[in-house]
Amino acid sequence: MSDEPLPSNDPWQALRRYTNARIALGRAGDGLPTAPLLAFQYDHARARDAVHLPFDAEGVAAAAGAAGLPVLIVHSAAPDRATYLKRPDLGRRLNDDSRVALSLHAPPDGEPYDAVLAIADGLSALAVHRHAAPLVIHIAEALQGLGWRLAPIVVVRQGRVAVADEIGSLLRARQAAILIGERPGLSVADSLGIYLTYDPRPGRTDAERNCISNIHAHGQSYAAATQTLIYLMSEARRLKLSGVALKDERAERDGPAALPA
């Protein structure tokens, strides 16, 4: 069966320049033409590779160390990738050795840290390898410029979003922000997300977190993501909350021109 070309007047075709979504692919009988079918299979393979790529925690920690903060490497309660994928609950908490190690780094003077920045492989180690270190340096420099007292940066193997709540609690940080590889899609396999919790502790719900997503080469820039996070963290400190009750109100307050490019 030969590929059937798209009709020249297909109204969807003009929209493809605005999105990576699979629209206006054409058809060959009841199926896809060969080229988009192969592209789909290729992108699916890239997404699977991103999930199973071994996490270079030491490399990420070494690069993140340029932020001028100590960097600690810990491990979730999921002992390996296969277990991590089958037991999301284990990825949300630390193993015993990591809990002990972090408790030794609580502030010695008893005064809580203003925030802790964590990095976890999540569902795309590829995203973390490409984006986490430069972004965490950007964020740490911005917060230190504002006079914030930061805990050591924590890199987590086999970690999910909620593990940051336990990290923040053990280090006695008032806020926890975790940079984590997002679930790969068929158009982007290296997208990074950031989740913020005020007063982090085990048992926090997703509704108590703010999310900044789609940080990658064709998505949000590091500068835009940093500005949004700094705004949310500043507001979280002022209002003493995060999650659904904490909104990004910059557009309403300052107008669209004030938003980062």
Side-chain angles (χ1 to χ4, degrees):
M1 183 179 294
S2 61
D3 287 358
E4 180 177 319
L6 283 169
S8 59
N9 61 347
D10 186 329
W12 289 96
Q13 205 164 26
L15 300 178
R16 294 196 64 182
R17 66 178 183 272
Y18 298 114
T19 176
N20 291 327
R22 283 182 158 76
I23 61 172
L25 299 178
R27 59 184 169 80
D30 293 333
L32 288 171
T34 302
L37 177 61
L38 292 176
F40 175 88
Q41 292 174 335
Y42 173 72
D43 288 340
H44 186 252
R46 290 178 63 227
R48 289 177 60 90
D49 286 349
V51 171
H52 293 285
L53 181 69
F55 181 35
D56 180 13
E58 287 77 10
V60 171
L69 295 168
V71 183
L72 309 173
I73 299 177
V74 296
H75 206 298
S76 78
D80 51 51
R81 198 62 171 172
T83 306
Y84 172 84
L85 294 174
K86 295 174 183 173
R87 291 283 307 273
D89 57 314
L90 296 182
R92 297 182 185 121
R93 62 178 193 265
L94 297 169
N95 64 20
D96 292 341
D97 290 344
S98 297
R99 274 198 293 273
V100 172
L102 285 189
S103 65
L104 298 176
H105 288 82
D109 59 3
E111 181 66 18
Y113 292 113
D114 291 318
V116 58
L117 302 174
I119 297 170
D121 44 1
L123 288 171
S124 175
L126 179 66
V128 178
H129 291 167
R130 289 182 175 172
H131 307 301
L135 182 54
V136 84
I137 291 170
H138 224 69
I139 295 167
E141 289 178 347
L143 289 172
Q144 289 173 318
L146 294 172
W148 285 48
R149 185 184 189 217
L150 299 180
I153 295 171
V154 180
V155 177
V156 193
R157 288 191 176 96
Q158 313 293 2
R160 292 185 183 266
V161 170
V163 77
D165 296 340
E166 187 172 22
I167 291 169
S169 176
L170 289 166
L171 290 177
R172 299 188 60 198
R174 293 189 172 96
Q175 299 187 39
I178 185 166
L179 288 64
I180 190 167
E182 295 182 333
R183 183 186 302 275
L186 290 175
S187 58
V188 180
D190 66 340
S191 182
L192 196 75
I194 305 175
Y195 291 81
L196 170 68
T197 309
Y198 182 83
D199 190 16
R201 60 179 183 273
R204 287 292 196 188
T205 68
D206 289 342
E208 295 172 301
R209 282 186 268 276
N210 292 84
C211 175
I212 302 167
S213 64
N214 286 313
I215 303 166
H216 54 87
H218 303 290
Q220 283 207 70
S221 67
Y222 298 159
T226 300
Q227 287 183 36
T228 300
L229 180 62
I230 298 302
Y231 170 82
L232 290 173
M233 294 181 81
S234 299
E235 286 296 281
R237 180 156 75 167
R238 183 176 70 86
L239 299 171
K240 301 188 185 310
L241 54 81
S242 59
V244 295
L246 177 61
K247 307 294 185 186
D248 185 349
E249 297 178 331
R250 288 173 297 171
E252 290 80 359
R253 185 192 64 189
D254 302 327
L259 287 174

